Amino acid sequence: MDLKLRVWRQGGAAGPGGFKEYDAKGISEEASFLEMLDIVNEELTMAGEEPIAFDHDCREGICGTCGLMINGQPHGPQQGTATCQLHMRKFNNGDTIVIEPWRALAFPVIKDLVVDRSAFDRIVEAGGYISVDTGSAPDANLTPVPKEAVDAAFDAAACIGCGACVAACPNSAAQLFTAAKIGHLNLLPQGQPERLTRTAAMVDTMEEYFGSCTNHGECESACPQGISLDYIAQMNRDYLKAQLADLRRSGQK
Amino acid sequence: MTITLDSKVPAGDIAEKWDNHRFSIRLVNPANKRKYKVIVVGTGLAGASAAATLAELGYEVEAFTFHDTARRAHSIAAQGGINAAKNYPNDGDSIHRLFYDTVKGGDYRSREANVYRLAQVSNEIIDQATAQGVPFARDYGGLLDNRSFGGAQVSRTFYARGQTGQQLLLGAYQALARQVGLGTVKLHTRSEMLEVVMKDGRAAGIVTRDLTTGEVASHSAHAVVLATGGYSNVYYLSTNAMTCNVTAAWRAHRKGALFANPCYTQIHPTCIPASDEFQSKLTLMSESLRNDGRIWVSKTADDTRPATQIPEDERDYYLERIYPSFGNLAPRDVSSRAAMRMIEQEKGVGPLKNGVYLDFADSISRLGKDTIQERYGNLFEMYQRITDENPYQVPMRIYPAPHYTMGGLWVDYNLMTNIPGLYSIGEANFSDHGANRLGASALMQGLADGYFVLPYTIGDYLADFLNTTPVPTTDPVFVEAEQAVSDHTRKLLDTKGSRSVEWFHRELGKIMLEHCGMARSRPGLEKALSEIPALREEYDKDVRVLGEADDLNQALENAGRVSDFFELAELMCQDALDREESAGGHFRVEYQTEEGEAKRDDVNFSHVSAWEYQRGGPATKHAEPLEFEYVKLAQRSYK
C-alpha cells in the first residue's frame, strides 16, 4: 500500500519542531507500523536525510519503549495494542497518517518522536516497591494469597510504563500509571505494611510532575494493557486514608 | 597476557561446595562496604538484582543502562516461567533433579558445580520474588501453581501468566528503584558502555557515551560487573529486542576477557514464522504453549489443504511419535531440529511453507476455551495481532528462531572473568547452561547470579582493596579509552558510504543463519569465514551513518553495535568449526547419530572453549576441561 506520512521532526528539547511529509510506498499489509517506519528511514538515509528518531525495542508489546501518537490516538487505532504490535493492515491504501510524539509537559521531547519519560521512574522510586532486602524473604507459600486478589493485582501489574495514559489525558495526568503500581502492590498481603505510606509518597511525587485527574477516562481506552480506571478509585481511597489516618497508629510510620 | 584458566571450583561434595565456599571466602564488614564502589552495566534481571542487592549490603553502586529506564531490558519479554526445585507439586523434584536435568539439558557441556549452585539458590529466588509482590499464578487455595516445561518430567516452573519475565524484571527494577530513591545507587540511563578500562591488569572502570548528548565520560570503581545480555541479534532476525547487542561483552573481550563457547546458541522452536523480507524481528510464542498444544505437519509433502481439512490420520504429530516420553515437551534444540527436518521434507505449512502447526484443538475440547484463555490468553492475542489468524479456531504456525546464547564471557565459580575485578552475570556469561538452555532457566540464572551469587563472591575480591581509592578518571588509561571511543564514533560518521547499517546487518544475519544457525558444516563455516571478513571490509568502507556525534543518533548507536557483531560472527564460526562434535544447540551435520540426533565427542571436546582476542589475527583457544563426577555422561535421550 502507498501512504503519506506527516511526521513531527524536532532537533532537541529546546528546538522548534514541525511536521514534515514523507511518502511510504509499496508497504506490505503484513508489516508492522514500526517496520513501515524502518523502511521510510532506510529510504531517508539513502536520500541523505537523517532518519526519524523514535523509541522502540522489544517489538512484542511488553517493554513499553515505543509509543507514538498516530492520527491523534496514542498507539494508534487498534485498542489494547502498543505501537509495535500495530500492523499496517489496520490502514488503507492512500491514507495520510499523522505521527507525533507523546505531548505532555512532564515528557519533554528529546528528538523527533523520542520523549523523556523519566518522571515515571521518580514516582516508582518514591514508593513503588515492597521493601524486602535480598535474603530476608520467608518461604513463598507461607502466605496464601486469594487467587482473585493475585489476579486483580496482576491486571494492574501488567502496566508496561509506556506513557500512553499521560499522552491521552487532556490534563497530562499520570493517575492510571501511578494507580496501576499502587493497585498491584496494595492488593497483595506482602504490600500491606507500606500500603498508606506508599500511596501518599507516590501520589505526592506524581503531583510534582503531572497534571490532575478530572475523570475523563481517556487513559483507560488508550492503555495497551487495558488497565481499569477502578485502580484510580482504589488509589484515591488509599490516599484519602493516608491523609486522615495517624500513620504511626496505623502501623505505617 | 598470560592466561590461567582457573575455574576456582571449591573442593568437597557437590552439595556442600557452595556452603564451604561461602565460609572460606573473605567478607567485607558492613561498616567497610560503603568504602567500595562497584559499577554494574546493564539493568536487566541480572544487573538490576545485583545492583539492588549490592546497595542493600552497603556498597556504593553506579548502574548504567542504554535504555530510557531500567524497566525496559529484554528480560521483560520472557514469557513462560522460572524454574525452582521447590517440589510444591510433590512430583519428585529436588535440587539434585533440577541440577541433573539442567546438566543433561545442556548436553553435558556445563560446569557441574555452577549448575548445582544454581539449583540450590533457585528456591530462594521464588521466595524473594514473592515477597517483592511478583504476582505468580496461584491455585484456588491461594498457593503457588506450577507448570511443566521442556526437558523436565516434573512441574517446577513458576509463572505469571505469559509475562513472567515482565513481572520478575519489575520486581528487580522496583528493588533497584528503591535503592535509587534512597540514594545508594546512582543510575545512569540512556548511557551506553563502550570501553572497559584496565590499569595494572585489573578492571578500573568504564567509558560511556551519553546517548542523548553524545558526551563521552569515564567512571571508575573497585570492580565492574557486566550484565549486558546475549548476542542473538548477530543473526539480525531473532527474538531479541532490537537494541540487544554484544558490545559491552565484546569490548571487554578486546581488552583480554576470554569469550567462551560462542557457538552455543539456542534456536527456539516456537516463534511466529517470518512473513516478508522487511521483517525486523521474530516474535516468540512461549514454550509453555507446548504444555497444551500439539505440534504436527501433514504426512504428505506439499500438502496445500488448510489445517482443519487434514484428517487426523493424515497428520504427523512428529514430536510425540519420535520422543514418546517427552513428546511435545522435548528440549528446545531437539524440537527445533525436528521442525527443521520437517520443513526440509517439504512439509512446511503457511504461505511461505516455513512453519509447523501448534494445535490447541484437543486441549480446547478437553479443558474448554476458558481454561486455555486463562493460561495463554495474552499469547493468543499477540499471535492474532501479528498474523491476523485466530488460534482458538486454526492452529498456530510456528518455526524456530534464534533466541538465546549460552556462550558468553568466561567466568570462574565467583562469576569473575579472567580479568581481575571484571565480573559477568546473567546471559552475558557462559556459565550454567552448557550447550543448550532449558526453558524457564534463563530467569533463574539471571536472578541467581544477581541476587544470590555475585553479592557474596565479589567481597572476596574487594577485601584486598580496603581503603584504596579507585583509579582517578584523569588517569591516562581513561583518557586514552575516551579517545578511542570518540575516534571510533568519528570514523563511523566520516565513512559516508552508500549503504545503511541495517543493510549490512541483514546481510551478516543471512550468512550467520545459513552457516552458523541450526545446522553447521565444515564447508559452510569455511564459506562464512571468507564471506564475513569481506562484508566487514565493505562495511568499514561503505557504511552510511548520518547525523552528528553530539546528539541522539540511533543509526550511530546501531553502527557501533554492528561493528562488534561482525567480529563476534567470525569468532562464532571459528568456534563452531573447531568444535568437531554436535552438542546441544551446536549441531555439526558431520556428527550425528543415525536418527539425526546430536553426537558428542566426549574424548576430545568435553571442555569449555575460551577464546583469547588477538589483534589482527584469529583468536587463540584455551580449554577448560569439564569433569563430571555426579552426572553420568550419556547420549541424551528424550524417547
Side-chain angles (χ1 to χ4, degrees):
Chain A
M1 52 171 63
D2 296 339
L3 305 152
K4 210 169 253 324
L5 308 183
R6 279 170 57 79
V7 182
W8 185 263
R9 306 281 328 239
Q10 182 171 337
F19 284 104
K20 279 201 79 169
E21 286 202 4
Y22 302 101
D23 286 320
K25 291 205 164 130
I27 303 293
S28 158
E29 291 197 350
E30 300 297 315
S32 73
F33 195 83
L34 297 184
E35 282 162 6
M36 181 274 292
L37 283 181
D38 291 340
I39 294 167
V40 170
N41 269 346
E42 222 166 321
E43 286 168 2
L44 284 178
T45 304
M46 287 305 102
E49 186 175 343
E50 213 186 317
I52 303 158
F54 62 92
D55 260 339
H56 64 96
D57 201 19
C58 77
R59 301 206 174 186
E60 294 182 17
I62 194 74
C63 75
T65 312
C66 68
L68 299 173
M69 200 60 129
I70 300 165
N71 290 337
Q73 279 181 291
H75 293 305
Q78 192 174 3
Q79 281 259 314
T81 303
T83 302
C84 63
Q85 295 277 287
L86 178 64
H87 281 68
M88 296 313 293
R89 64 178 82 92
K90 297 286 166 190
F91 296 89
N92 299 312
N93 188 33
D95 278 359
T96 296
I97 306 176
V98 181
I99 308 171
E100 298 167 85
W102 288 166
R103 305 269 191 206
L105 199 59
F107 290 165
V109 172
I110 293 174
K111 185 177 182 175
D112 296 341
L113 305 171
V114 178
V115 299
D116 177 357
R117 288 166 287 192
S118 52
F120 272 2
D121 291 324
R122 304 293 91 77
I123 297 174
V124 177
E125 287 157 15
Y129 46 75
I130 289 170
S131 298
V132 49
D133 284 357
T134 303
S136 52
D139 184 88
N141 259 351
L142 188 69
T143 311
V145 183
K147 190 177 181 317
E148 290 70 18
V150 84
D151 284 349
F154 193 106
D155 290 343
C159 168
I160 59 174
C162 64
C165 48
V166 173
C169 177
N171 308 330
S172 298
Q175 250 77 3
L176 193 62
F177 169 81
T178 310
K181 188 41 65 195
I182 289 175
H184 161 211
L185 300 172
N186 285 7
L187 276 161
L188 295 171
Q190 290 85 353
Q192 296 315 306
E194 297 166 295
R195 180 172 187 143
L196 300 182
T197 49
R198 166 187 306 117
T199 308
M202 289 179 74
V203 170
D204 290 345
T205 305
M206 172 188 80
E207 299 279 354
E208 286 174 34
Y209 295 91
F210 295 92
S212 299
C213 174
T214 46
N215 297 317
H216 281 259
E218 294 281 348
C219 51
E220 185 186 66
S221 64
C223 177
Q225 297 294 87
I227 293 171
S228 164
L229 277 180
D230 292 352
Y231 293 102
I232 297 181
Q234 185 198 313
M235 172 177 78
N236 289 342
R237 277 199 301 275
D238 280 350
Y239 186 74
L240 194 64
K241 259 191 224 166
Q243 302 310 307
L244 297 174
D246 178 329
L247 289 177
R248 195 184 62 82
R249 285 196 191 135
S250 325
Q252 296 251 328
K253 212 169 197 175
Chain B
M1 178 156 65
T2 336
I3 292 187
T4 41
L5 272 190
D6 179 0
S7 66
K8 302 214 173 92
V9 169
D13 184 82
I14 197 154
E16 288 157 19
K17 282 179 194 289
W18 179 229
D19 252 6
N20 293 343
H21 191 62
R22 280 192 291 178
F23 184 70
S24 64
I25 57 179
R26 288 165 297 173
L27 296 173
V28 175
N29 99 45
N32 281 337
K33 287 202 174 81
R34 64 172 189 275
K35 298 177 185 165
Y36 293 100
K37 189 166 148 194
V38 180
I39 283 175
V40 180
V41 185
T43 55
L45 278 179
S49 58
T53 304
L54 289 168
E56 288 163 10
L57 288 170
Y59 294 108
E60 183 189 343
V61 178
E62 271 197 69
F64 295 82
T65 170
F66 61 69
H67 285 109
D68 65 324
T69 148
R71 63 183 294 157
R72 308 278 189 227
H74 197 54
S75 314
I76 206 155
Q79 297 169 352
I82 176 166
N83 289 329
K86 283 282 194 188
N87 193 31
Y88 287 155
N90 194 30
D91 58 357
D93 202 8
S94 64
I95 286 169
H96 200 91
R97 186 175 293 282
L98 174 54
F99 155 70
Y100 172 86
D101 285 350
T102 307
V103 172
K104 178 188 174 194
D107 216 352
Y108 309 95
R109 287 292 174 265
S110 46
R111 214 187 261 150
E112 274 191 340
N114 283 54
V115 179
Y116 197 89
R117 175 178 63 190
L118 177 67
Q120 280 175 307
V121 303
S122 67
N123 292 338
E124 293 172 70
I125 297 169
I126 302 304
D127 298 340
Q128 183 66 28
T130 303
Q132 287 171 344
V134 170
F136 285 125
R138 288 172 186 271
D139 59 27
Y140 285 96
L143 299 176
L144 292 164
D145 190 24
N146 288 112
R147 61 185 171 201
S148 35
F149 246 65
Q153 286 174 311
V154 293
S155 291
R156 62 160 72 99
T157 305
F158 293 80
Y159 65 101
R161 296 189 193 158
Q163 291 152 255
T164 317
Q166 180 199 27
Q167 293 309 316
L168 288 169
L169 181 66
L170 292 179
Y173 156 74
Q174 286 162 204
L176 176 62
R178 175 174 162 236
Q179 297 304 318
V180 172
L182 292 168
T184 56
V185 174
K186 186 163 184 227
L187 176 65
H188 303 259
T189 56
R190 292 196 194 265
S191 195
E192 182 166 29
M193 189 211 100
L194 293 176
E195 282 293 345
V196 168
V197 180
M198 313 232 317
K199 169 109 178 169
D200 304 328
R202 296 176 180 282
I206 60 169
V207 172
T208 57
R209 179 173 176 273
D210 182 313
L211 300 183
T212 309
T213 64
E215 189 196 353
V216 174
S218 293
H219 311 270
S220 73
H222 290 96
V224 174
V225 181
L226 301 184
T228 49
Y231 50 85
S232 290
N233 269 350
V234 70
Y235 294 102
Y236 184 72
L237 276 182
S238 82
T239 66
N240 282 190
M242 302 299 285
T243 57
C244 290
N245 67 79
V246 77
T247 287
W250 194 257
R251 307 271 164 114
H253 176 58
R254 289 176 62 119
K255 286 285 172 75
L258 300 181
F259 208 103
N261 301 334
C263 79
Y264 288 165
T265 60
Q266 177 167 82
I267 313 282
H268 195 293
T270 53
C271 303
I272 302 177
S275 64
D276 63 41
E277 165 86 1
F278 288 100
Q279 187 131 356
S280 57
K281 76 155 279 168
L282 296 170
T283 301
L284 176 77
M285 287 283 106
S286 168
E287 176 165 307
S288 62
L289 292 168
R290 292 200 271 146
N291 270 300
D292 289 306
R294 299 180 70 196
I295 292 175
W296 64 276
V297 292
S298 169
K299 283 182 180 165
T300 331
D302 276 324
D303 194 335
T304 52
R305 288 174 292 178
T308 45
Q309 285 172 30
I310 301 177
E312 198 59 31
D313 61 346
E314 291 177 40
R315 298 175 176 191
D316 179 10
Y317 294 89
Y318 58 88
L319 286 179
E320 298 171 23
R321 171 172 60 81
I322 310 172
Y323 310 103
S325 64
F326 281 71
N328 293 296
L329 285 172
R332 292 178 174 177
D333 54 337
V334 172
S335 311
S336 289
R337 277 195 295 277
M340 180 182 74
R341 289 199 295 271
M342 292 303 129
I343 303 227
E344 280 168 3
Q345 294 165 22
E346 321 249 300
K347 290 175 182 165
V349 304
L352 301 178
K353 300 211 162 288
N354 59 349
V356 297
Y357 288 126
L358 176 61
D359 197 337
F360 293 88
D362 280 1
S363 299
I364 289 171
S365 62
R366 190 177 73 247
L367 303 165
K369 189 183 162 193
D370 288 351
T371 304
I372 294 300
Q373 188 163 12
E374 167 130 353
R375 286 183 189 166
Y376 313 109
N378 65 320
L379 298 171
F380 277 44
E381 279 168 31
M382 180 155 79
Y383 182 85
Q384 186 162 10
R385 273 198 294 271
I386 291 171
T387 62
D388 213 18
E389 289 174 358
N390 180 351
Y392 293 103
Q393 286 160 9
V394 295
M396 285 185 177
R397 290 175 292 115
I398 54 162
Y399 192 62
H403 176 58
Y404 185 89
T405 51
M406 285 71 70
L409 291 174
W410 183 88
V411 289
D412 63 18
Y413 189 73
N414 294 317
L415 305 180
M416 188 158 81
T417 67
N418 58 303
I419 296 176
L422 181 68
Y423 290 78
S424 180
I425 59 177
E427 190 180 351
N429 73 27
F430 88 106
S431 68
D432 298 353
H433 307 296
N436 174 56
R437 179 176 65 73
L438 290 181
S441 285
L443 301 178
M444 173 173 68
Q445 185 228 332
L447 290 177
D449 288 1
Y451 281 134
F452 295 110
V453 180
L454 177 93
Y456 297 136
T457 59
I458 202 168
D460 190 45
Y461 171 78
L462 293 173
D464 277 337
F465 301 95
L466 186 62
N467 297 323
T468 64
T469 46
V471 180
T473 54
T474 48
D475 191 283
V477 290
F478 280 105
V479 178
E480 282 161 27
E482 285 180 27
Q483 193 57 46
V485 167
S486 301
D487 289 350
H488 189 231
T489 302
R490 202 63 260 160
K491 183 178 162 294
L492 290 167
L493 288 167
D494 287 347
T495 307
K496 298 191 191 307
S498 69
R499 287 202 160 109
S500 69
V501 181
E502 293 282 299
W503 185 87
F504 282 102
H505 195 177
R506 268 201 297 272
E507 293 302 307
L508 174 65
K510 284 180 200 160
I511 297 173
M512 290 303 285
L513 205 53
E514 184 174 349
H515 300 303
C516 200
M518 245 189 299
R520 297 139 187 208
S521 69
R522 172 166 286 277
L525 289 164
E526 282 171 346
K527 187 154 179 268
L529 280 170
S530 72
E531 287 176 356
I532 297 165
L535 187 65
R536 190 176 84 202
E537 222 169 278
E538 216 184 314
Y539 181 77
D540 288 340
K541 284 192 303 224
D542 198 28
V543 71
R544 173 182 290 194
V545 183
L546 301 172
E548 299 302 329
D550 59 354
D551 187 13
L552 177 71
N553 188 336
Q554 293 165 324
L556 177 64
E557 295 163 22
N558 198 19
R561 294 167 192 160
V562 172
S563 300
D564 295 326
F565 277 137
F566 270 112
E567 295 189 3
L568 166 77
E570 260 187 83
L571 185 65
M572 287 170 69
C573 293
Q574 191 186 341
D575 186 38
L577 193 58
D578 175 78
R579 188 165 282 278
E580 294 181 323
E581 65 163 352
S582 294
H586 169 62
F587 189 75
R588 281 281 299 265
V589 295
E590 299 97 325
Y591 309 100
Q592 51 181 308
T593 64
E594 275 175 21
E595 292 113 343
E597 303 296 347
K599 192 169 158 195
R600 291 194 323 269
D601 175 353
D602 292 330
V603 176
N604 295 304
F605 289 97
S606 188
H607 63 245
V608 177
S609 300
W611 297 89
E612 181 187 358
Y613 183 79
Q614 301 291 350
R615 205 158 296 279
T620 46
K621 176 174 151 177
H622 302 264
E624 180 201 332
L626 292 170
E627 281 146 32
F628 293 90
E629 287 180 66
Y630 297 89
V631 177
K632 204 167 138 275
L633 285 171
Q635 164 78 38
R636 273 194 314 171
S637 171
Y638 290 98
K639 292 194 169 173

